[in-house]
């Protein structure tokens, strides 16, 4: 056990583990010290200096986020010296910041703005340096806007992209007054290795990194008489939307979400969970087909391990970083894109709407989905399959704009045909969820029995460990799967792209033998997606994860292949998994991309 | 293999492929190419298995690692406080009018680039400047004219 340290903060005694920082000690006794560069998910940077505190009998101020506690220390967090230093730090930051708050997307949600209002940064601060700077705005990407004039160079984004994601799309360039956060050669984010995961957006304290928004386009569609507007909602939205509308983390708000979408005027309120179930059928069958080809037909061209394909951040990552493994990625489209392709074909026909009069919207926990919807190959219906992608945050904003009191909304149900889903689809939103959903179905297809886990809960693939592995022994199989008798299916689950990279490097080095790998680009899976409510932290992600598994347990149907609407769409339209229609609408291909 | 690929590979073979080898490799590129091109940076990133943005960040941090093509003779005038007080501004004005370029630019014939730099350690003899690796101190506008003339004549002779 760690040694305990005794110290006093603002004359209150604290007892805390050795190695803790002053900031942590202060939080323990509910003293708030402002921070900007500090973030719970990231390593200490200590560069913003807004967290300075005074040590009694010492003439230096200390950065509390970086300074470990020591025995007998006496700290003041609110002395005159501290307050004036803090105010000056904020004033200096503002002097280089285009403080255009009333026109800023982060207005009301910005950490710099909050501090400026707390310390009343008035007219008498430092002179405004913004006119002298050559700041630029990069808004070429369909996912991300990078506005250097709002950047306070705290480097949270750089640490996120390097540490959590191990992409390094952003780095610090130049020095001194010219120092800036930059992509390779200051190229637009659209052209570099950025995966559009949006993790940096989730952690940027200001308006320097934000998602590109589409709510104005969606409002126009909703207000157009001629248009039939269809909306789909991803699994992870229903357990996080509440946070952006004043509710605590971990509330399941599925019913209120549906009510709100109806109130906003969407004509069909449908569920991405339906196509999540469909993904399991297509991807599960693809896996079994690959195994059969490899094991029975001895086809050496078959690529194993197969990896999932539903996370567009992961897909873009592998296109840049491991292009030699593109054939290992399942050809199944993500649930969002399967939905889009079916909405303007199958569904449009069913409800008698011309596809050109249909506008297809998705609400996603994700910023990479905006880029995915824009890919040229995502036009299987003959139209853009998904017209606009909104983040959870954008939908929350629309609900506010419409004057809806979200918390008091009654629960409502999704429309039918593409609105039904199983518990297996809900857990797509958590790391390990796709694996669990796939195993629930594949095991049963092969053996005719349910997976041998209590209540279908495949706990080895759940939880927040970096990389999880599980081996499932397949026994007493049905006759047509006799080649799998006694086989051990080796699976691996990773979340966050730095973990994905570790797994892919092991695969490349030949030190890991897997059949099936699930990868989600974001920490925790989609529940920690780049489009989710801000802030994010390990504790918040844990609450969201618990909510997802609660929602799964509450569902009457727990397995994708038992979703009646899925069964029905195969009977009526798709005919069979991996069939001709599926190939036209539900599968895709990938493109090798550059190294920078 | 392209030329730059070969160069970078050779440097990586020589210095190693750990992250701390980044700087010597970049210096090696500057020694042989004078500036680090976009392609060279991508190759360095590939060889060291790091992100290209990180290579760019390092290359732009150091004054002596160039990311843009420069003239044959790079003139760096010290801009730090002592030389500033000794009148580096007159020196720069003189150079600008002699070379007909602004600070940061290269002459049309590609011979001279005019830049500023931080302290050269010649403060006691300021104002000071470097032309490529050679220091010149106690500068006056007249002295600067002579020095530039000398380089120009050298170029004429070599043609
Ligand atoms: S980033 Fe924050 S401080 Fe800057 S303009 Fe936007 S709201 Fe204001
Ligand atoms: S979106 Fe993701 S990959 Fe792109 S810069 Fe941000 S953290 Fe890096
Ligand atoms: S873009 Fe945002 S997170 Fe990155 S350094 Fe600037 S303010 Fe910080
Ligand atoms: S929060 Fe401590 S230095 Fe930035
Ligand atoms: S200040 Fe110019 S050489 Fe030191």
């Amino acid at each position: 056990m760690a040694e305990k340290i005794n110290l006093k903060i603002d004359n209150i005694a604290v007892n805390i583990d050795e190695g803790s920082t002053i900031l942590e000690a202060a939080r323990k006794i509910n003293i708030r010290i402002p921070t900007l560069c500090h973030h719970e998910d990231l390593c200490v940077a200590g560069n913003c200096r807004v967290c300075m505190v005074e040590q009694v009998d010492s003439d230096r101020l200390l950065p509390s986020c970086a300074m470990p506690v020591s025995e007998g220390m006496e700290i003041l967090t609110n002395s005159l010296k501290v307050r004036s230093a803090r105010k000056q730090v904020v004033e200096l930051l503002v002097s280089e910041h285009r403080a255009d708050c009333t026109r800023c997307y982060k207005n009301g949600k910005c950490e710099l703005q909050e501090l400026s209002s707390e310390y009343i940064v008035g007219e008498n601060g430092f002179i405004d340096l913004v006119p002298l700077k050559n700041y630029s705005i990069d808004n070429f990407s369909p996912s991300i806007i990078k506005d250097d004039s709002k950047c306070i160079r705290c480097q949270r984004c750089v640490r996120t992209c390097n540490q959590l994601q191990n992409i390094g799309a952003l780095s610090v360039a130049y020095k001194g007054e010219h120092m800036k956060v930059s992509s390779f050669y200051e190229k637009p984010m659209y052209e570099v290795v950025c995966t559009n995961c949006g993790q940096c957006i989730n952690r940027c304290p200001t308006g320097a990194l934000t998602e590109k928004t589409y709510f104005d386009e969606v409002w126009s569609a909703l207000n157009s008489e001629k248009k039939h507007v269809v909306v789909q909602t991803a699994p992870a939205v229903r357990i996080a939307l509440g946070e952006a509308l004043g509710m605590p983390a971990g509330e399941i708000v599925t019913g209120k979400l549906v009510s709100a979408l109806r109130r906003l005027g969407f004509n069909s309120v449908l569920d991405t969970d339906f196509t999540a179930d469909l993904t399991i059928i297509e991807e599960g069958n693809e896996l079994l087909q690959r195994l059969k080809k490899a094991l029975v037909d001895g086809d050496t061209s078959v690529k194993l391990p197969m990896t999932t394909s539903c996370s567009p951040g992961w897909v873009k990552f592998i296109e840049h970083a491991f292009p030699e493994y593109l054939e290992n990625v399942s050809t199944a489209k993500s649930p969002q894109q399967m939905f889009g392709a079916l909405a303007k074909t199958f569904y449009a026909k069913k409800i008698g709407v011309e596809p050109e009069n249909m506008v297809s919207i998705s609400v996603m926990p994700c910023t990479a989905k905006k880029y995915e919807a824009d890919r040229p190959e995502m036009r299987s219906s003959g139209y853009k399959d998904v017209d606009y992608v909104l983040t959870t945050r954008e939908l929350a904003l629309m609900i506010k704009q419409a004057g809806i009191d979200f918390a008091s909304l009654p629960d409502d149900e999704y429309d039918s045909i593409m609105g039904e889903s199983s518990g297996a689809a809900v857990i797509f939103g958590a790391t390990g969820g796709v694996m669990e959903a796939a195993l629930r179905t594949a095991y049963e297809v092969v053996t005719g029995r349910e997976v041998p886990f209590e209540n279908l809960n495949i706990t080895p693939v759940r939880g927040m460990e970096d990389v999880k592995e599980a081996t499932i022994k397949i026994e007493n199989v049905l006759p047509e799967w006799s080649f799998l008798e006694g086989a051990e299916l080796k699976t691996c689950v990773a979340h966050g792209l730095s973990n994905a990279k570790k797994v892919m490097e092991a695969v490349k080095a030949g030190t890991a033998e897997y059949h099936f790998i699930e990868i989600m680009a974001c920490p925790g899976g989609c529940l920690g997606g780049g489009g989710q409510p801000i802030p994010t932290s390990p504790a918040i992600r844990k609450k969201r994860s618990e909510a997802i598994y609660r929602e799964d347990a509450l569902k009457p149907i727990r397995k994708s292949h038992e979703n009646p609407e899925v069964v029905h769409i195969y009977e009526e339209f798709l005919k069979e998994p991996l069939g001709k229609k599926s190939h036209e609408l539900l599968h895709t291909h990938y493109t090798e991309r550059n190294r920078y | 293999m392209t030329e730059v690929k070969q160069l970078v590979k050779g440097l990586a073979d020589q210095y190693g492929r750990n992250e701390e080898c980044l700087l010597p490799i970049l210096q090696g590129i500057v020694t042989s190419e004078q500036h680090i091109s976009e392609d060279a940076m991508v190759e360095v990133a590939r060889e060291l298995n790091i992100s290209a943005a990180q290579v760019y960040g390092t290359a732009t941090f150091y004054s002596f690692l160039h990311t843009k093509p420069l003239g044959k003779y790079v003139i760096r005038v010290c801009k730090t406080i002592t030389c500033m007080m000794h009148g580096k501004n007159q020196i720069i004005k003189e150079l600008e009018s002699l070379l007909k370029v602004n600070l940061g630019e290269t002459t049309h014939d590609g011979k001279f680039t005019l830049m500023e730099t931080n302290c050269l350690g010649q403060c006691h003899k300021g104002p000071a400047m470097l032309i490529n690796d050679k220091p010149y101190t106690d500068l006056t506008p007249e002295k600067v004219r002579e020095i530039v003339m000398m380089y120009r004549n050298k170029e004429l002779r070599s043609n």
Side-chain angles (χ1 to χ4, degrees):
Chain A
M1 240 180 69
E3 288 282 321
K4 291 283 184 183
I5 299 280
N6 292 295
L7 69 155
K8 272 188 177 163
I9 302 181
D10 297 341
N11 287 315
I12 305 171
V14 205
N15 177 266
I16 195 166
D17 285 349
E18 189 178 7
S20 309
T21 60
I22 299 172
L23 179 67
E24 284 161 341
R27 285 186 178 172
K28 197 174 166 191
I29 49 172
N30 298 320
I31 293 177
R32 191 177 66 87
I33 300 174
T35 54
L36 279 172
C37 67
H38 177 268
H39 194 282
E40 265 189 84
D41 286 323
L42 306 171
C43 69
V44 171
N47 63 31
C48 76
R49 303 278 139 170
V50 73
C51 69
M52 293 299 227
V53 293
E54 183 175 350
Q55 181 168 17
V56 176
D57 294 332
S58 150
D59 54 356
R60 279 191 315 150
L61 292 173
L62 305 172
S64 63
C65 71
M67 201 64 191
V69 291
S70 60
E71 190 60 37
M73 213 176 205
E74 283 183 50
I75 296 293
L76 299 175
T77 73
N78 189 35
S79 65
L80 200 56
K81 198 168 172 181
V82 169
R83 267 204 316 279
S84 83
R86 219 177 254 171
K87 182 166 179 179
Q88 279 207 6
V89 167
V90 177
E91 282 173 341
L92 280 169
L93 289 172
V94 170
S95 74
E96 293 189 299
H97 179 96
R98 191 160 60 84
D100 214 358
C101 300
T102 52
R103 292 174 234 224
C104 183
Y105 181 49
K106 285 297 273 292
N107 193 357
K109 290 164 239 126
C110 167
E111 295 176 39
L112 180 65
Q113 189 188 43
E114 202 181 309
L115 275 182
S116 326
S117 84
E118 213 170 281
Y119 287 89
I120 317 284
V121 175
E123 308 266 297
N124 305 326
F126 296 92
I127 52 166
D128 182 11
L129 296 175
V130 178
L132 309 174
K133 302 257 173 186
N134 238 337
Y135 290 134
S136 56
I137 301 181
D138 167 9
N139 57 9
F140 295 104
S141 156
S143 291
I144 295 184
I145 298 178
K146 177 170 176 282
D147 179 350
D148 291 344
S149 69
K150 306 270 175 76
C151 174
I152 56 168
R153 297 175 281 179
C154 68
Q155 300 174 34
R156 280 193 198 170
C157 55
V158 175
R159 280 172 284 150
T160 301
C161 196
N162 282 275
Q163 221 186 298
L164 296 183
Q165 300 298 63
N166 204 347
I167 305 288
L170 294 171
S171 179
V172 177
Y174 302 99
K175 60 173 172 267
E177 56 178 329
H178 303 294
M179 191 252 248
K180 64 183 288 193
V181 167
S182 171
S183 58
F184 178 60
Y185 247 87
E186 285 151 79
K187 288 179 187 290
M189 297 299 280
Y190 187 52
E191 286 178 25
V192 298
V193 286
C194 170
T195 65
N196 304 299
C197 72
Q199 290 303 312
C200 52
I201 297 176
N202 270 5
R203 288 172 185 78
C204 178
T206 69
L209 283 165
T210 55
E211 72 265 44
K212 184 169 278 181
T213 60
Y214 295 91
F215 51 82
D216 281 333
E217 286 82 348
V218 174
W219 279 126
S220 306
L222 288 172
N223 284 299
S224 156
E225 287 291 317
K226 287 192 286 304
K227 298 291 182 194
H228 185 97
V229 190
V230 173
V231 66
Q232 53 165 320
T233 61
V237 175
R238 69 205 64 196
I239 49 90
L241 177 65
E243 287 168 41
L245 293 161
M247 299 166 89
E251 294 268 320
I252 302 171
V253 294
T254 320
K256 294 187 196 303
L257 164 66
V258 176
S259 291
L261 290 167
R262 288 231 166 81
R263 285 270 294 271
L264 294 179
F266 288 96
N267 304 97
S268 303
V269 180
L270 301 171
D271 204 352
T272 318
D273 284 21
F274 164 77
T275 35
D277 279 330
L278 198 59
T279 300
I280 287 302
I281 308 297
E282 291 291 325
E283 201 167 289
N285 276 284
E286 185 185 352
L287 176 65
L288 291 173
Q289 198 186 61
R290 287 193 193 207
L291 288 171
K292 180 160 183 284
K293 278 190 186 155
L295 297 173
V296 181
D297 312 340
D299 183 345
T300 49
S301 70
V302 173
K303 295 286 190 277
L304 285 170
M306 186 177 95
T307 81
T308 53
S309 56
C310 38
S311 166
W314 153 242
V315 168
K316 188 152 185 279
F317 169 76
I318 193 170
E319 288 177 329
H320 285 287
F322 295 93
E324 65 276 30
Y325 284 94
L326 287 182
E327 285 183 45
N328 292 64
V329 183
S330 164
T331 60
K333 282 183 187 169
S334 72
Q336 163 176 283
Q337 293 307 138
M338 285 198 183
F339 189 100
L342 289 171
K344 290 194 182 175
T345 54
F346 168 75
Y347 185 75
K349 196 152 175 214
K350 272 291 219 205
I351 60 165
V353 169
E354 289 303 321
E356 65 258 36
N357 291 331
M358 181 177 274
V359 182
S360 150
I361 313 290
S362 69
V363 185
M364 295 283 140
C366 181
T367 47
K369 294 270 173 202
K370 293 175 187 266
Y371 176 91
E372 182 186 41
D374 253 32
R375 281 178 174 251
E377 57 273 23
M378 296 303 174
R379 293 172 169 267
S380 314
S381 62
Y383 303 86
K384 195 171 177 229
D385 292 335
V386 175
D387 291 295
Y388 304 112
V389 179
L390 300 172
T391 57
T392 310
R393 295 188 288 267
E394 286 172 88
L395 177 64
L397 191 68
M398 289 179 74
I399 292 171
K400 278 191 202 154
Q401 288 176 349
I404 296 171
D405 176 22
F406 188 72
S408 68
L409 283 177
D411 286 349
D412 204 345
E413 307 242 320
Y414 285 101
D415 288 321
S416 69
I417 313 189
M418 286 173 47
E420 181 75 72
S421 67
S422 74
V426 174
I427 59 176
F428 260 62
T431 166
V434 176
M435 183 59 72
E436 179 164 349
L439 291 175
R440 283 184 196 171
T441 288
Y443 191 90
E444 198 164 319
V445 166
V446 173
T447 65
R449 301 183 311 275
E450 290 192 334
V451 277
F453 287 89
E454 202 183 331
N455 295 327
L456 301 173
N457 296 338
I458 311 182
T459 45
V461 297
R462 294 188 181 184
M464 295 296 180
E465 274 143 80
D466 290 353
V467 177
K468 291 160 282 192
E469 292 178 334
T471 303
I472 309 280
K473 182 137 183 145
I474 305 175
E475 284 169 311
N476 301 324
V477 298
L478 295 172
E480 67 263 43
W481 300 101
S482 57
F483 67 95
L484 286 175
E485 183 60 46
E488 289 194 328
L489 187 70
K490 294 204 176 86
T491 67
C492 171
V493 173
H495 61 124
L497 290 171
S498 67
N499 294 324
K501 194 169 179 182
K502 276 188 229 154
V503 169
M504 287 312 292
E505 272 166 358
V507 168
K508 198 169 172 175
T511 54
E513 272 196 35
Y514 303 120
H515 298 106
F516 189 32
I517 303 175
E518 177 209 290
I519 293 184
M520 293 295 152
C522 294
C526 307
L527 60 87
Q532 292 283 57
I534 298 171
T536 182
S537 71
I540 291 173
R541 294 194 292 276
K542 186 159 173 276
K543 290 228 175 75
R544 291 179 189 162
S545 166
E546 287 161 2
I548 282 196
Y549 289 108
R550 252 187 292 136
E551 175 94 332
D552 167 36
L554 287 170
K555 281 269 189 180
I557 302 165
R558 306 279 307 287
K559 296 173 278 186
S560 299
H561 57 279
E562 289 178 358
N563 177 340
E565 291 186 353
V566 169
V567 173
H568 181 250
I569 200 173
Y570 277 109
E571 282 169 3
E572 189 183 326
F573 182 68
L574 295 168
K575 304 304 172 199
E576 53 169 349
L578 309 179
K580 189 168 161 291
K581 269 259 165 334
S582 293
H583 270 287
E584 266 169 46
L585 296 174
L586 308 182
H587 289 260
T588 185
H589 58 271
Y590 308 106
T591 316
E592 176 167 356
R593 292 178 201 274
N594 52 39
R595 174 65 176 71
Y596 52 79
Chain B
M1 217 191 282
T2 62
E3 230 166 274
V4 45
K5 244 193 167 125
Q6 207 130 35
L7 170 71
V8 173
K9 191 176 171 298
L11 288 165
D13 287 340
Q14 183 184 346
Y15 293 110
R17 287 177 167 77
N18 299 325
E19 250 181 85
E20 60 266 26
C21 308
L22 176 57
L23 215 49
I25 293 176
L26 293 179
Q27 282 168 323
I29 298 172
V30 172
T31 310
S32 86
E33 305 281 283
Q34 215 191 27
H35 86 282
I36 311 165
S37 66
E38 192 178 322
D39 289 346
M41 288 193 214
V42 176
E43 283 317 311
V44 174
R46 206 192 301 276
E47 285 292 343
L48 303 191
N49 195 19
I50 56 178
S51 92
Q54 192 187 335
V55 178
Y56 181 73
T58 308
T60 53
F61 183 86
Y62 292 99
S63 317
F64 285 74
L65 297 178
H66 309 290
T67 55
K68 290 186 195 88
L70 299 176
K72 182 165 176 192
Y73 301 106
V74 182
I75 307 177
R76 295 182 173 91
V77 183
C78 170
K79 66 169 181 190
T80 308
I81 184 108
T82 318
C83 291
M84 175 125 94
M85 286 161 62
H86 278 112
K88 66 102 182 165
N89 282 346
Q90 275 97 303
I91 303 302
I92 289 180
K93 267 208 195 98
E94 188 63 32
L95 284 165
E96 284 180 334
S97 76
L98 273 172
L99 301 171
K100 303 198 174 46
V101 294
N102 291 320
L103 208 54
E105 292 176 351
T106 301
T107 54
H108 282 300
D109 58 5
K111 298 292 182 210
F112 296 94
T113 301
L114 179 60
M115 304 206 294
E116 280 186 326
T117 185
N118 288 317
C119 180
L120 298 168
Q122 307 285 337
C123 324
H124 57 302
K125 291 192 277 183
M129 70 178 184
L130 276 181
I131 297 188
N132 290 352
D133 289 340
K134 201 165 162 29
Y136 294 89
T137 54
D138 292 318
L139 297 173
T140 59
E142 296 74 46
K143 215 167 156 185
V144 165
R145 272 199 294 276
E146 280 165 29
I147 296 168
V148 170
M149 270 322 255
M150 189 188 81
Y151 277 91
R152 279 200 173 136
N153 288 334
K154 197 161 124 190
E155 278 304 294
L156 281 178
R157 278 199 303 279
S158 69
N159 277 344

